[in-house]
Amino acid sequence: MKIFKSKSFKKLSALVLAVALAMSCTVAANAYVRKQGDLDGDGMITVSDVTMLQRMVSGTLESSGMLSVIAELNGDGVISVADATFLQQSIVGLNPTPVGFVPMDGIDVSKWQGEIDFEQVKADGYDFVIIRAGYGNEISQKDVYFEQNYAAAKKAGLYVGAYWYSYAADESDAELEAEVFREAIAGKTFELPVFLDVEDSLHTNYTKSKLTSIINAFADSMTEYNYYVGVYSNQYFFNNLIDLSSLDNVQTVWLAEYDDEMNIECDVWQYASDGTVSGINGDCDMNKCLVDYPTIITQNGYNGY
C-alpha cells in the first residue's frame, strides 16, 4: 500500500517549466538559497522578513510555494501571528523553542563535491544531507566518497539519508540495484529515507508502465529489509514517465523542481542546484524537508534502527 505523508501546497501552472524540462531535464536554478525565515531572500534574517510574514498573516501577501515553507517557523503547522512573533524573538536573541516539526534545510552530495567539511555545513545552519551511495548494479560502482561522507556527516550531527542512481533496464535489474545498494549501506543507520534516483536519459525511452514497474521492483526489494524507501526525480519524469498513483511500497517523494512553486506534492523539495554552503567547494543542491522523517524512521525501526 502506498503511503504519502505529504504537505499540500497551492499548485500553479508551469507550462514553460515543463517544456524546458522536457527538452533538457534541467532548468536554471534559483540565484539564492532560501533558509527558514529568510522570506525576502537576501540571505539574512531581519525586520524586513518579519514585515513580509506579517503581510502574509494579514492576507496582503500570498502565502504559497517557497514562502509557505520558509514562513512556518514555530512548528504548529500553520502560518500565523505566532510565526511572526517567533521570528522577532529569534532576531533579538531570545531563541524560542519550536512547538512541533519545522521544515528542515539540507543538501545532497556525491563524489562531485570532493572533500566536504561537514562541521562547517552544520554550523552554516543545515540539518540534513542525502548522500549518493553509488549507481548501477555492481558494488564497484559505489561512490568513492560515500563512506567518508557518511562518517563525517554523522560525526557533525547531521541527519543522513542515501540515494542510488538507477540505470535499471527492467525489473530484475532494479532488484539487482537494490541488492547492491543494500550491500553498500549495510551496517549503517539513516534518519532520512533511502531513495532511488530515476532521471537518466535512457529511462525517457520507456513507457510509463515499464518505468513505474522498475521503481516498484526496487522499492519492493528494499522494503523487504525494512528500509523506508522514496523515489527522486524531476517534474518532467513525475508528470510524464512515472505513475505516482501506482507506486507500491514507495513511501515518499523527493522532487527536483528549480522554481518557487512545487507543482507536484513531495516531502523533500530540491529547489536549487547552485547553492553556496560553508565547507563545500563549488555549487551544491539545496533541499527543504517537509516531513519529520527522523521521528518516523527511528520510532518505527526503519533504516537500521
Side-chain angles (χ1 to χ4, degrees):
M1 178 179 179
K2 176 173 65 69
I3 303 174
F4 288 122
K5 303 177 178 67
S6 301
K7 283 192 173 183
S8 294
F9 296 92
K10 182 178 179 182
K11 309 298 188 297
L12 296 181
S13 174
L15 177 60
V16 174
L17 179 61
V19 171
L21 284 167
M23 295 176 63
S24 65
C25 290
T26 60
V27 294
N30 292 341
Y32 50 79
V33 173
R34 302 292 287 273
K35 290 188 180 181
Q36 290 306 112
D38 182 17
L39 278 75
D40 62 8
D42 65 357
M44 301 179 291
I45 308 299
T46 65
V47 173
S48 171
D49 299 301
V50 176
T51 300
M52 287 186 66
L53 211 163
Q54 290 171 334
R55 290 180 57 205
M56 292 172 67
V57 173
S58 69
T60 60
L61 179 63
E62 184 179 11
S63 58
S64 65
M66 179 60 79
L67 282 180
S68 69
V69 173
I70 62 179
E72 214 306 87
L73 297 168
N74 73 334
D76 65 0
V78 296
I79 298 171
S80 67
V81 172
D83 295 297
T85 302
F86 185 97
L87 190 55
Q88 288 173 317
Q89 291 174 329
S90 298
I91 290 173
V92 298
L94 293 181
N95 297 318
T97 302
V99 297
F101 176 73
V102 176
M104 297 189 295
D105 291 297
I107 60 175
D108 60 273
V109 301
S110 68
K111 73 173 186 177
W112 304 114
Q113 277 70 48
E115 297 283 339
I116 298 173
D117 186 334
F118 283 101
E119 297 290 345
Q120 288 190 38
V121 173
K122 177 70 173 178
D124 201 17
Y126 294 94
D127 307 295
F128 70 91
V129 58
I130 305 175
I131 305 170
R132 188 180 77 157
Y135 60 94
N137 58 19
E138 296 182 5
I139 194 60
S140 61
Q141 295 168 304
K142 181 177 178 178
D143 191 297
V144 294
Y145 276 89
F146 175 66
E147 294 289 342
Q148 177 179 322
N149 284 339
Y150 174 87
K154 283 281 192 173
K155 183 179 179 181
L158 292 164
Y159 295 129
V160 177
Y163 74 92
W164 194 262
Y165 190 98
S166 179
Y167 290 107
D170 52 35
E171 289 91 334
S172 61
D173 202 15
E175 292 171 353
L176 181 56
E177 287 189 341
E179 180 181 340
V180 176
F181 187 22
R182 291 194 300 272
E183 182 179 353
I185 64 177
K188 295 176 172 58
T189 55
F190 300 93
E191 299 79 20
L192 269 68
V194 295
F195 293 94
L196 182 65
D197 181 346
V198 180
E199 60 176 313
D200 196 79
S201 59
L202 74 87
H203 290 139
T204 62
N205 298 315
Y206 297 173
T207 65
K208 179 180 288 190
S209 175
K210 179 175 181 178
L211 187 54
T212 302
S213 294
I214 286 172
I215 297 169
N216 278 333
F218 179 94
D220 290 347
S221 181
M222 294 299 292
T223 53
E224 285 182 11
Y225 291 83
N226 211 34
Y227 283 102
Y228 194 94
V229 184
V231 59
Y232 165 94
S233 197
N234 57 54
Q235 181 182 328
Y236 176 76
F237 268 67
F238 282 130
N239 278 335
N240 298 281
L241 299 173
I242 299 171
D243 184 358
L244 282 168
S245 66
S246 297
L247 291 178
D248 302 318
N249 290 323
V250 172
Q251 294 164 289
T252 192
V253 168
W254 178 12
L255 169 68
E257 183 174 349
Y258 305 149
D259 191 13
D260 274 341
E261 297 289 336
M262 291 174 290
N263 292 286
I264 293 170
E265 285 194 14
C266 65
D267 296 326
V268 181
W269 177 13
Q270 184 188 88
Y271 64 91
S273 63
D274 60 353
T276 300
V277 179
S278 295
I280 298 179
N281 293 320
D283 292 342
C284 186
D285 293 337
M286 311 307 300
N287 298 271
K288 291 284 183 182
C289 178
L290 311 177
V291 170
D292 187 2
Y293 289 128
T295 297
I296 294 168
I297 288 171
T298 59
Q299 289 188 355
N300 290 283
Y302 296 114
N303 294 0
Y305 281 97

